[in-house]
Every structure is written in structure tokens, then in C-alpha cells.
Amino acid sequence: MAKIGITETVLRDAHQSLIATRMRTDEFSDILEKMDKIGYYSLECWGGATFDTCLRFLDEDPWDRLRLIRKKCSNTKLQMLFRGQNMLGYRHYSDEVVDYFVKKSIDNGIDILRIFDALNDVRNLQTAINAAKKYGGHVQAAISYTTGPVFDIQYYCNYAKQLEDAGVDSICIKDMAGLLTPYGTYDLVKAIKETVKVPIQLHSHYTSGLASMVHLKGVEAGVDVIDTAISPLAMGTSHPATESMVAAFQGTEYDTGLDIKALTEIRDYFNPLREKYLESGLLDPKMLGVDANTLLYQVPGGMLSNLVSQLKQAGKADKLEEVLKEVPRVREDSGYPPLVTPTSQIVGTQSAFNIILGERYKMVTKEFKDLVAGKYGKTPCDINPEFRKKIVGDDAIIDCRPADLITDTVDSFKNEINEFYEQEEDILSYAQFGQVAVKFFEKRRDKKYGLDSKHDDIESKVHPV
């Protein structure tokens, strides 16, 4: 067996999981050249919530961040997380806009696009897959892993085969909530490796305390690459520690080939940042512990923090346990969607409303209604027709690919921001984040002309993946 590849997540998913994606570019830019020499399979450094957070909270251009990383990491493949037809936003976009975003991501330095759909609906991935191949990117399709009545090994093998047939270059098993168990992983990976010929990557969060064992058994079963995080931003709701996994495989047939002494330099750089985040309160010590409840309620760490915040705002913090018990029931009602952005927020918010209002579905959010109506795609399980009627009423049910009904054009978005337009990429920032992007453009313009920005801060929101 060839050596195991390591994808380092500290520049994206690790800080997204632990500090709501608040790491600034200037906080990590000085270590990039040393990271480039480590020999990682790839650096996951963009996509997910990084784009939103740069614009919304950090007053940074996410495209500038990507270009800087590319400049300083010329030897290492750069990887991003891409939400299929949602791109990096929270709704579906037209094929034209998706194609353009993929092109610009690759033009600015992305090598590997990890593309996933919250419902595992391959129709929502095909446009992004075709675009990435057209523009010379490596297409890694991700399986959103979850548990439930239909989610057996056969389900995942069938989906993996659909992805391979769609033309992907590799497949990632994306365990966003830390639900995989070691021996279950071994059986799953064995079966998928027997079903498809493309390489398999494994991504698991440490939330339930199992991820390092999951990685070990996954590698023994034939996984080619694993996701890890340098130790100061590892564990908890993040990933297994890079140094620990490298040490675990050292001297075996799975040796990663990475130098632990070289990794220590990376660790030493990020360690003071960890302390800074702890002192500032950005890093909540609770996020670093093990939460075995995730195995019961299947709630990812980021979704849990959102629920706690919603309940506190409503003065109902004491209702958390009831809401967590309601989540699996709402998920069953809505066709067992895997809980990952945006479905995690949709199911979580509806569960909170059901408990806070004292009556199930007394009030239904627009997003939950859209999910039940098929506007996000086909759910893994069929939804009870009576329940669907109760939620959707007389509105149309969408059976086609949702993007077939969307007519957004690149030119229409461009025309709306003529006043602020400085680069082609601005069109895509605006298309996905609207007024959040406009406020960023205004601040950028004011800074350029030496003016003081006088804009209200945008209400704080966390959109984890």
C-alpha cells in the first residue's frame, strides 16, 4: 500500500469548527511557506464558511486570501469545500453562476474541489463536477455521512457508484457530526473500495471522541487520505491531531512520510494563537471536550452551538434537552436529511420552534417548508404525503432538479454592483452574500479613498458546515 496522504485542515475546517471561522489571514500568513514544505497531500484552506466570514466579520476579501495562500504555497495542492448547487451560499444558484464560480476558484489557485450536497442528491452536484473537470480541477465528491433507517452500507455504496459514474476523481466520506464508529468505518470503507475504483478520503470530527480510531480503522480498510488538524486546533469539534496520526502510522506500511519535527514548527506557531482565542473567548473550552450526545441526537457541534444561541435569545435555554430530543423526530418527518449546512440549520430551527411554541409545527419556517416541498432536492426517504400537505399546503411540489427552475445570470449580478465593481470575482461575492458583500465593498472603497466607514455592524451570525 502507498503511504497515507494527510490533508491539513487548520486553515479552514479546524478554525471553522472551534472558533466560528474567525482566524484572520494575517494570523497565519507567516507560517504558510513552512507548511508548504511539509509534504501534505493538500491544504484545505478555502470554501465552507471562510468566504462568508471574511466578508461579514473580518473585512477581508476572500479572493485575496486565496491568492495569498496560492502565492506562498506553490508546492502543495490547495483544497476547498464547495456546497454543490449552493456554492458557498445557502440557496441554489443557476448552472451559469455555479460554472463561473468554479472557474474563478480554479483561476485563483484551487486545485481540489470537495463538492457535497446536504441531501446526497447527485443531481445537485453534476454542474459543479462538470465545471471543475472542464477547468482542470480535481473533483472530489463528498458523501454526507449520517445514520437512520435507509443509511446502510448498500445506500453508501450505491451513492459512491453514482458519484463515480458522474465523473469524479476521488470520493470523501464526510462525517461532519462524528457519527462514524471504528469498526463500522472499516466495513463501510471495505465495501466502498470494492464498489468504486477512485481513491477514498476520510473526514471525521472528534465531537464524539472516536475520530482517531475511525481514521485508524479506515486506513486499515484502504482509505488513501485522511483529514487532520495541527494539534493546537485539533480535537473537540475539530479533527484528530496531525502529529498524533503521523506518529500512529510511523514505521508501518501506512507511514505518511511526514516529519514530526517539521510538524512541531507548525504546532509551535499555532499554539500562541490557541491561547489568544481562549483568552478572548473565541475558543470556548466546551468545544474541546467530548460530547457523546452527538451519537444519540446526531447533532454536529456547530449546529449545537446555534441551537444554544437560539434558545438563549428566546429565554428558553432550559429547553435544550427537549429540543435535542425533537431533532430526530423533525428529521424523520422531513425525509431523514443528513444534518449539514443548510439542512442542519433548517431542522434545528424548526425543532426549536416546535418546543418553544409548545405545539409541533404551529409555526413553520420558510426554509423548512422549502425542504419539504423539494426545493433543496430529493430527500433520502420519501416524505409522508399527509405531512407534506400539512406543511406545504397548496404550494407546488418540486420533483425536478431545483436548479432547473433558477435563471440567475452573471451579467444581472454584475449590473447590480456596477458602483462597486473592481474585479470579476466581486460578482460572485455579491451573488452569494448580497448586502453583506455590498457593505464590504463600501468599506473597501472608503479605505481606498481614505474615508472613514460609518456602517452599522451586521448582526452576528454563525453558519458552520
Side-chain angles (χ1 to χ4, degrees), residues 47-160:
T50 59
F51 200 103
D52 183 349
T53 311
C54 278
L55 294 171
R56 193 183 297 267
F57 300 115
L58 305 180
D59 287 337
E60 290 187 21
D61 187 332
W63 299 98
D64 284 346
R65 173 180 288 198
L66 175 56
R67 288 187 282 258
L68 175 75
I69 298 171
R70 177 75 287 167
K71 182 180 176 183
K72 293 199 170 199
C73 297
S74 56
N75 301 305
T76 309
K77 286 178 283 189
L78 302 185
Q79 182 168 319
M80 73 174 291
L81 183 67
F82 190 96
R83 299 185 192 120
Q85 209 72 29
N86 287 30
M87 303 194 298
L88 304 181
Y90 306 104
R91 68 171 180 87
H92 284 205
Y93 294 86
S94 69
D95 290 341
E96 178 186 322
V97 175
V98 172
D99 182 277
Y100 191 56
F101 189 92
V102 170
K103 180 182 188 305
K104 285 297 169 189
S105 299
I106 292 171
D107 284 351
N108 281 279
I110 289 297
D111 299 294
I112 302 170
L113 290 93
R114 177 178 291 171
I115 305 169
F116 79 97
D117 178 64
L119 298 180
N120 288 332
D121 185 343
V122 72
R123 300 174 304 169
N124 293 334
L125 303 181
Q126 194 65 63
T127 298
I129 290 171
N130 293 346
K133 293 187 78 67
K134 178 167 66 173
Y135 299 118
H138 174 111
V139 182
Q140 181 175 96
I143 296 170
S144 297
Y145 181 81
T146 189
T147 57
V150 298
F151 300 105
D152 55 12
I153 285 179
Q154 192 57 51
Y155 168 90
Y156 289 115
C157 286
N158 289 342
Y159 188 48

Side-chain angles (χ1 to χ4, degrees), residues 234-446:
M235 317 294 274
T237 51
S238 180
H239 305 276
T242 303
E243 308 96 303
S244 304
M245 295 311 302
V246 168
F249 295 121
Q250 204 165 36
T252 73
E253 61 183 302
Y254 312 115
D255 200 314
T256 65
L258 301 192
D259 181 351
I260 290 184
K261 287 184 180 177
L263 286 170
T264 299
E265 284 192 70
I266 313 301
R267 185 202 76 89
D268 289 347
Y269 181 90
F270 283 102
N271 219 34
L273 282 174
R274 170 193 167 100
E275 297 309 312
K276 173 183 166 183
Y277 301 141
L278 281 166
E279 287 174 17
S280 70
L282 259 182
L283 179 53
D284 185 338
K286 290 179 184 174
M287 305 301 279
L288 298 170
V290 168
D291 183 4
N293 273 347
T294 192
L295 297 168
L296 296 175
Y297 304 125
Q298 302 160 3
V299 173
M303 178 182 171
L304 181 61
S305 61
N306 267 358
L307 284 176
V308 171
S309 175
Q310 285 175 348
L311 291 170
K312 279 181 181 175
Q313 288 171 15
K316 302 281 187 179
D318 60 321
K319 299 285 189 182
L320 179 61
E321 192 69 21
E322 287 181 61
V323 173
L324 288 174
K325 288 178 180 176
E326 176 68 358
V327 166
R329 294 193 287 262
V330 172
R331 190 168 164 249
E332 180 180 1
D333 291 339
S334 54
Y336 281 101
L339 296 180
V340 65
T341 302
T343 51
S344 52
Q345 286 88 339
I346 295 169
V347 170
T349 300
Q350 188 59 53
S351 300
F353 276 129
N354 286 1
I355 297 302
I356 290 169
L357 298 176
E359 181 184 330
R360 303 190 77 219
Y361 307 110
K362 181 178 182 179
M363 194 192 103
V364 178
T365 67
K366 177 187 181 297
E367 291 77 12
F368 188 76
K369 189 175 181 180
D370 287 349
L371 175 65
V372 173
K375 291 185 180 179
Y376 289 91
K378 180 171 172 48
T379 53
C381 290
D382 291 335
I383 297 172
N384 182 297
E386 290 180 16
F387 177 78
R388 180 173 257 176
K389 179 73 174 173
K390 174 184 174 182
I391 300 300
V392 176
D394 295 327
D395 289 3
I397 303 300
I398 306 301
D399 290 322
C400 66
R401 186 183 69 116
D404 290 340
L405 306 175
I406 301 173
T407 57
D408 299 335
T409 67
V410 172
D411 284 346
S412 66
F413 286 122
K414 181 179 180 181
N415 290 337
E416 291 176 32
I417 57 160
N418 270 335
E419 179 186 354
F420 304 107
Y421 181 87
E422 290 188 10
Q423 58 179 352
E424 291 180 348
E425 290 79 4
D426 289 345
I427 301 167
L428 292 159
S429 299
Y430 172 72
Q432 294 171 97
F433 297 107
Q435 289 306 303
V436 170
V438 168
K439 285 184 182 292
F440 169 76
F441 297 153
E442 288 174 340
K443 290 179 182 178
R444 180 180 65 184
R445 179 191 60 191
D446 292 351

